[in-house]
Amino acid sequence: MTRFVPFDTTYDQIRKLEKSSFILLLVSAFLIMINWVLPKFFDNEINSKYDDVKEIAKVISYVSMVCYLIINLISRILFHNVEKRKRNDLIDNSFGTNYSDENTVGYYNNEETQNGIKKLTLNSYESSFHTENTLKLMLYKNLIILIVLSVPFLLSIFSKNGSDIVRLLFEISIPLTLISEFIVMLIYYLNVSEINERFKIELTNLGNKSINENDIPKLLIPIMEYYSIKAWANTNLDSAIFNKNNTKISEKWKARKIKLIQ
Protein backbone atom coordinates (compact mmCIF):
# COMPACT_ATOMS: atom_id res chain seq x y z
CA MET A 1 0.00 0.00 0.00
CA THR A 2 1.28 3.47 -0.91
CA ARG A 3 1.98 5.57 2.15
CA PHE A 4 0.53 9.08 2.19
CA VAL A 5 0.79 11.49 5.14
CA PRO A 6 -0.63 14.97 4.35
CA PHE A 7 1.06 16.69 7.30
CA ASP A 8 4.57 15.41 6.41
CA THR A 9 5.28 18.74 4.69
CA THR A 10 4.82 20.62 7.96
CA TYR A 11 6.96 18.10 9.83
CA ASP A 12 9.68 18.64 7.20
CA GLN A 13 9.51 22.39 7.83
CA ILE A 14 9.81 21.79 11.58
CA ARG A 15 12.82 19.52 11.05
CA LYS A 16 14.53 22.18 8.93
CA LEU A 17 13.88 24.81 11.60
CA GLU A 18 15.23 22.51 14.31
CA LYS A 19 18.33 21.78 12.22
CA SER A 20 18.88 25.52 11.66
CA SER A 21 18.51 26.27 15.37
CA PHE A 22 20.97 23.50 16.24
CA ILE A 23 23.54 24.93 13.81
CA LEU A 24 23.10 28.36 15.41
CA LEU A 25 23.63 26.76 18.81
CA LEU A 26 26.86 25.15 17.60
CA VAL A 27 28.08 28.47 16.19
CA SER A 28 27.33 30.26 19.44
CA ALA A 29 29.01 27.57 21.57
CA PHE A 30 32.10 27.57 19.33
CA LEU A 31 32.52 31.36 19.41
CA ILE A 32 32.05 31.53 23.17
CA MET A 33 34.59 28.75 23.62
CA ILE A 34 37.10 30.63 21.43
CA ASN A 35 36.58 33.82 23.44
CA TRP A 36 37.16 31.85 26.64
CA VAL A 37 40.26 30.02 25.36
CA LEU A 38 42.18 32.98 23.89
CA PRO A 39 42.88 34.81 27.19
CA LYS A 40 43.87 31.53 28.84
CA PHE A 41 46.55 30.44 26.36
CA PHE A 42 47.84 33.65 24.75
CA ASP A 43 49.54 36.67 26.28
CA ASN A 44 48.04 40.15 26.54
CA GLU A 45 49.82 41.43 23.47
CA ILE A 46 48.31 38.82 21.20
CA ASN A 47 44.89 39.18 22.82
CA SER A 48 44.91 42.96 22.35
CA LYS A 49 45.58 42.51 18.62
CA TYR A 50 42.38 40.52 18.27
CA ASP A 51 40.10 42.61 20.51
CA ASP A 52 37.97 43.76 17.57
CA VAL A 53 37.63 40.22 16.25
CA LYS A 54 36.65 38.98 19.70
CA GLU A 55 33.98 41.67 20.03
CA ILE A 56 32.55 40.76 16.63
CA ALA A 57 32.55 37.08 17.61
CA LYS A 58 30.77 37.97 20.84
CA VAL A 59 28.05 39.86 18.96
CA ILE A 60 27.62 37.01 16.49
CA SER A 61 27.34 34.53 19.36
CA TYR A 62 24.66 36.65 21.04
CA VAL A 63 22.69 36.98 17.79
CA SER A 64 23.00 33.21 17.26
CA MET A 65 21.66 32.57 20.76
CA VAL A 66 18.66 34.83 20.25
CA CYS A 67 17.91 33.31 16.82
CA TYR A 68 18.23 29.82 18.32
CA LEU A 69 15.65 30.62 21.01
CA ILE A 70 13.26 32.28 18.52
CA ILE A 71 13.47 29.47 15.96
CA ASN A 72 13.05 26.91 18.72
CA LEU A 73 9.85 28.66 19.82
CA ILE A 74 8.50 28.86 16.24
CA SER A 75 9.14 25.15 15.66
CA ARG A 76 7.24 24.28 18.85
CA ILE A 77 4.27 26.41 17.79
CA LEU A 78 4.20 24.70 14.36
CA PHE A 79 4.48 21.29 16.02
CA HIS A 80 1.54 22.03 18.33
CA ASN A 81 -0.60 23.06 15.35
CA VAL A 82 0.24 20.05 13.18
CA GLU A 83 -0.43 17.70 16.09
CA LYS A 84 -4.03 18.99 16.19
CA ARG A 85 -4.41 18.06 12.50
CA LYS A 86 -2.90 14.67 13.24
CA ARG A 87 -5.45 14.00 16.01
CA ASN A 88 -8.31 14.70 13.57
CA ASP A 89 -6.82 12.12 11.21
CA LEU A 90 -6.57 9.67 14.12
CA ILE A 91 -10.31 10.03 14.75
CA ASP A 92 -11.10 9.61 11.04
CA ASN A 93 -9.00 6.46 10.78
CA SER A 94 -10.43 4.99 13.98
CA PHE A 95 -14.11 5.73 13.42
CA GLY A 96 -14.40 6.15 9.62
CA THR A 97 -15.30 9.85 9.89
CA ASN A 98 -14.22 12.74 7.65
CA TYR A 99 -13.05 15.57 9.91
CA SER A 100 -9.77 16.07 8.02
CA ASP A 101 -9.46 17.63 4.57
CA GLU A 102 -6.95 14.91 3.69
CA ASN A 103 -6.43 11.60 5.46
CA THR A 104 -3.35 9.47 5.88
CA VAL A 105 -2.94 6.24 3.94
CA GLY A 106 -0.73 3.44 5.26
CA TYR A 107 0.22 5.41 8.39
CA TYR A 108 -1.54 3.19 10.95
CA ASN A 109 -1.21 -0.59 10.82
CA ASN A 110 -4.54 -1.63 12.30
CA GLU A 111 -6.82 -1.75 9.26
CA GLU A 112 -7.94 -5.29 10.11
CA THR A 113 -9.71 -3.91 13.20
CA GLN A 114 -13.30 -2.73 12.91
CA ASN A 115 -13.90 1.01 13.27
CA GLY A 116 -14.62 2.00 16.85
CA ILE A 117 -13.10 2.49 20.28
CA LYS A 118 -10.88 -0.60 19.99
CA LYS A 119 -9.30 0.67 16.77
CA LEU A 120 -8.78 4.08 18.40
CA THR A 121 -7.05 2.33 21.29
CA LEU A 122 -4.81 0.28 18.99
CA ASN A 123 -3.93 3.34 16.89
CA SER A 124 -3.11 5.31 20.03
CA TYR A 125 -1.10 2.45 21.50
CA GLU A 126 0.83 2.07 18.24
CA SER A 127 1.68 5.78 18.29
CA SER A 128 2.60 5.63 21.97
CA PHE A 129 4.72 2.50 21.41
CA HIS A 130 6.74 4.23 18.68
CA THR A 131 7.05 7.35 20.84
CA GLU A 132 8.41 5.41 23.82
CA ASN A 133 11.02 3.53 21.80
CA THR A 134 12.15 6.65 19.94
CA LEU A 135 12.31 8.79 23.09
CA LYS A 136 14.45 6.16 24.79
CA LEU A 137 17.09 6.59 22.07
CA MET A 138 16.67 10.37 21.99
CA LEU A 139 17.45 10.65 25.70
CA TYR A 140 20.98 9.32 25.23
CA LYS A 141 21.64 11.66 22.30
CA ASN A 142 20.20 14.73 24.05
CA LEU A 143 22.11 14.01 27.25
CA ILE A 144 25.36 14.10 25.27
CA ILE A 145 24.28 17.34 23.54
CA LEU A 146 23.33 18.84 26.90
CA ILE A 147 26.70 18.02 28.47
CA VAL A 148 28.90 18.98 25.50
CA LEU A 149 27.16 22.20 24.46
CA SER A 150 26.59 23.48 27.99
CA VAL A 151 30.32 23.38 28.75
CA PRO A 152 31.35 26.51 26.76
CA PHE A 153 28.51 28.57 28.24
CA LEU A 154 29.14 27.39 31.81
CA LEU A 155 32.90 27.99 31.53
CA SER A 156 32.25 31.51 30.30
CA ILE A 157 29.65 32.20 33.01
CA PHE A 158 31.73 31.02 35.96
CA SER A 159 35.16 32.19 34.81
CA LYS A 160 34.29 35.90 34.59
CA ASN A 161 32.91 38.34 37.11
CA GLY A 162 29.23 39.11 37.18
CA SER A 163 29.50 42.74 36.10
CA ASP A 164 28.39 42.04 32.54
CA ILE A 165 24.73 41.34 33.23
CA VAL A 166 23.77 41.25 29.55
CA ARG A 167 26.41 38.60 28.83
CA LEU A 168 25.26 36.51 31.79
CA LEU A 169 21.61 36.68 30.73
CA PHE A 170 22.46 35.59 27.20
CA GLU A 171 24.82 32.79 28.17
CA ILE A 172 22.81 31.32 31.03
CA SER A 173 19.65 31.10 28.88
CA ILE A 174 21.11 28.34 26.68
CA PRO A 175 22.10 25.81 29.39
CA LEU A 176 18.79 26.45 31.15
CA THR A 177 16.90 25.83 27.90
CA LEU A 178 18.83 22.62 27.19
CA ILE A 179 18.35 21.36 30.76
CA SER A 180 14.61 22.13 30.76
CA GLU A 181 14.15 20.42 27.38
CA PHE A 182 15.96 17.32 28.63
CA ILE A 183 13.87 17.20 31.83
CA VAL A 184 10.66 17.55 29.80
CA MET A 185 11.82 14.73 27.51
CA LEU A 186 12.64 12.49 30.48
CA ILE A 187 9.23 13.10 32.10
CA TYR A 188 7.59 12.52 28.72
CA TYR A 189 9.39 9.19 28.30
CA LEU A 190 8.61 7.94 31.82
CA ASN A 191 4.92 8.82 31.47
CA VAL A 192 4.60 7.19 28.05
CA SER A 193 6.26 4.03 29.40
CA GLU A 194 3.64 3.83 32.18
CA ILE A 195 0.81 4.55 29.73
CA ASN A 196 1.98 1.76 27.44
CA GLU A 197 1.83 -0.66 30.33
CA ARG A 198 -1.79 0.41 30.88
CA PHE A 199 -2.54 -0.07 27.17
CA LYS A 200 -1.00 -3.55 27.27
CA ILE A 201 -2.93 -4.62 30.36
CA GLU A 202 -6.32 -3.34 29.15
CA LEU A 203 -5.98 -4.76 25.61
CA THR A 204 -4.65 -8.08 26.90
CA ASN A 205 -7.63 -8.41 29.25
CA LEU A 206 -9.97 -7.56 26.39
CA GLY A 207 -8.39 -9.95 23.86
CA ASN A 208 -10.82 -10.92 21.11
CA LYS A 209 -13.91 -10.33 23.23
CA SER A 210 -16.57 -7.88 22.08
CA ILE A 211 -16.40 -4.48 23.73
CA ASN A 212 -19.16 -3.68 26.18
CA GLU A 213 -20.01 -0.37 27.81
CA ASN A 214 -17.84 -1.05 30.87
CA ASP A 215 -14.74 -1.52 28.68
CA ILE A 216 -14.91 1.94 27.11
CA PRO A 217 -13.75 3.98 30.17
CA LYS A 218 -10.87 1.53 30.75
CA LEU A 219 -9.65 2.07 27.18
CA LEU A 220 -10.22 5.83 27.19
CA ILE A 221 -8.01 6.44 30.25
CA PRO A 222 -4.65 5.57 28.62
CA ILE A 223 -5.72 7.27 25.37
CA MET A 224 -6.47 10.54 27.18
CA GLU A 225 -3.31 10.25 29.29
CA TYR A 226 -1.14 9.70 26.21
CA TYR A 227 -2.43 12.68 24.27
CA SER A 228 -2.39 14.85 27.38
CA ILE A 229 1.31 14.18 28.09
CA LYS A 230 2.09 14.49 24.39
CA ALA A 231 0.46 17.93 24.25
CA TRP A 232 2.24 18.97 27.48
CA ALA A 233 5.68 17.89 26.26
CA ASN A 234 5.18 19.43 22.79
CA THR A 235 8.35 17.62 21.72
CA ASN A 236 9.01 16.59 18.14
CA LEU A 237 10.59 13.16 17.76
CA ASP A 238 14.07 13.10 16.26
CA SER A 239 13.47 12.22 12.57
CA ALA A 240 16.92 10.67 12.08
CA ILE A 241 16.45 8.32 15.03
CA PHE A 242 12.81 7.62 14.10
CA ASN A 243 13.56 6.77 10.45
CA LYS A 244 16.60 4.68 11.32
CA ASN A 245 14.70 2.56 13.83
CA ASN A 246 11.17 2.69 12.40
CA THR A 247 11.30 -0.71 10.70
CA LYS A 248 12.63 -2.44 13.81
CA ILE A 249 10.09 -0.73 16.09
CA SER A 250 7.26 -1.55 13.64
CA GLU A 251 8.23 -5.24 13.77
CA LYS A 252 8.21 -5.11 17.57
CA TRP A 253 4.76 -3.50 17.43
CA LYS A 254 3.39 -6.21 15.12
CA ALA A 255 4.69 -8.89 17.48
CA ARG A 256 3.15 -7.07 20.45
CA LYS A 257 -0.20 -6.69 18.69
CA ILE A 258 -0.41 -10.42 17.87
CA LYS A 259 -0.13 -11.20 21.59
CA LEU A 260 -2.78 -8.59 22.46
CA ILE A 261 -5.52 -9.94 20.20
CA GLN A 262 -5.05 -13.63 20.95
Side-chain angles (χ1 to χ4, degrees):
M1 180 185 291
T2 303
R3 190 176 186 273
F4 173 68
V5 183
F7 29 77
D8 264 356
T9 304
T10 307
Y11 281 116
D12 286 339
Q13 292 173 346
I14 294 169
R15 282 190 283 269
K16 289 176 182 177
L17 286 171
E18 289 177 338
K19 186 176 180 179
S20 299
S21 69
F22 184 68
I23 291 171
L24 288 168
L25 182 59
L26 290 177
V27 169
S28 182
F30 175 76
L31 292 175
I32 286 175
M33 194 68 183
I34 292 297
N35 269 338
W36 181 82
V37 167
L38 285 176
K40 304 291 182 186
F41 296 96
F42 296 95
D43 56 37
N44 291 334
E45 183 179 347
I46 293 176
N47 273 284
S48 61
K49 287 175 61 177
Y50 294 100
D51 278 344
D52 290 341
V53 175
K54 287 161 62 179
E55 285 301 315
I56 292 172
K58 188 185 296 184
V59 171
I60 293 173
S61 70
Y62 290 169
V63 172
S64 298
M65 280 186 259
V66 172
C67 290
Y68 162 76
L69 294 171
I70 292 173
I71 292 174
N72 208 26
L73 176 62
I74 292 172
S75 65
R76 286 181 176 275
I77 293 171
L78 287 175
F79 180 73
H80 177 74
N81 289 334
V82 75
E83 281 294 300
K84 289 194 291 185
R85 291 173 55 200
K86 190 175 177 182
R87 284 194 291 272
N88 286 339
D89 177 73
L90 168 71
I91 296 299
D92 286 347
N93 184 275
S94 301
F95 292 97
T97 53
N98 294 291
Y99 290 112
S100 300
D101 294 330
E102 292 181 288
N103 290 117
T104 56
V105 177
Y107 184 76
Y108 296 103
N109 298 301
N110 307 300
E111 295 308 314
E112 75 285 351
T113 305
Q114 184 179 357
N115 288 342
I117 186 66
K118 186 173 183 179
K119 190 174 183 181
L120 174 63
T121 307
L122 282 169
N123 283 343
S124 300
Y125 187 15
E126 180 184 1
S127 175
S128 185
F129 187 83
H130 277 76
T131 298
E132 178 189 355
N133 284 275
T134 305
L135 282 173
K136 185 177 180 179
L137 298 171
M138 286 175 63
L139 281 168
Y140 297 116
K141 177 180 177 180
N142 281 57
L143 181 59
I144 294 170
I145 291 173
L146 168 63
I147 294 171
V148 173
L149 292 186
S150 292
V151 168
F153 297 96
L154 295 175
L155 285 174
S156 180
I157 290 167
F158 293 112
S159 64
K160 300 177 184 178
N161 60 48
S163 59
D164 192 346
I165 299 300
V166 174
R167 177 188 62 81
L168 282 172
L169 289 175
F170 271 109
E171 292 180 0
I172 203 170
S173 64
I174 301 302
L176 287 177
T177 299
L178 294 174
I179 291 169
S180 64
E181 288 178 351
F182 181 79
I183 292 173
V184 167
M185 187 182 297
L186 179 60
I187 295 171
Y188 187 18
Y189 168 72
L190 293 174
N191 275 267
V192 170
S193 297
E194 291 180 4
I195 290 166
N196 282 342
E197 283 301 309
R198 181 67 181 264
F199 271 125
K200 183 171 68 175
I201 291 169
E202 297 301 344
L203 286 168
T204 300
N205 291 337
L206 184 63
N208 280 322
K209 294 185 297 184
S210 299
I211 293 178
N212 58 50
E213 189 174 345
N214 292 331
D215 293 320
I216 295 176
K218 299 175 186 177
L219 298 176
L220 281 176
I221 289 173
I223 293 172
M224 294 176 68
E225 287 181 347
Y226 172 58
Y227 288 105
S228 293
I229 191 63
K230 192 174 185 182
W232 173 82
N234 199 30
T235 300
N236 191 24
L237 297 181
D238 188 306
S239 59
I241 291 176
F242 181 86
N243 292 331
K244 181 180 179 180
N245 296 277
N246 186 41
T247 301
K248 182 166 63 175
I249 295 172
S250 294
E251 290 302 317
K252 287 173 64 178
W253 164 250
K254 290 176 183 176
R256 172 70 60 86
K257 187 169 67 170
I258 289 172
K259 294 180 180 180
L260 294 175
I261 61 178
Q262 286 178 345

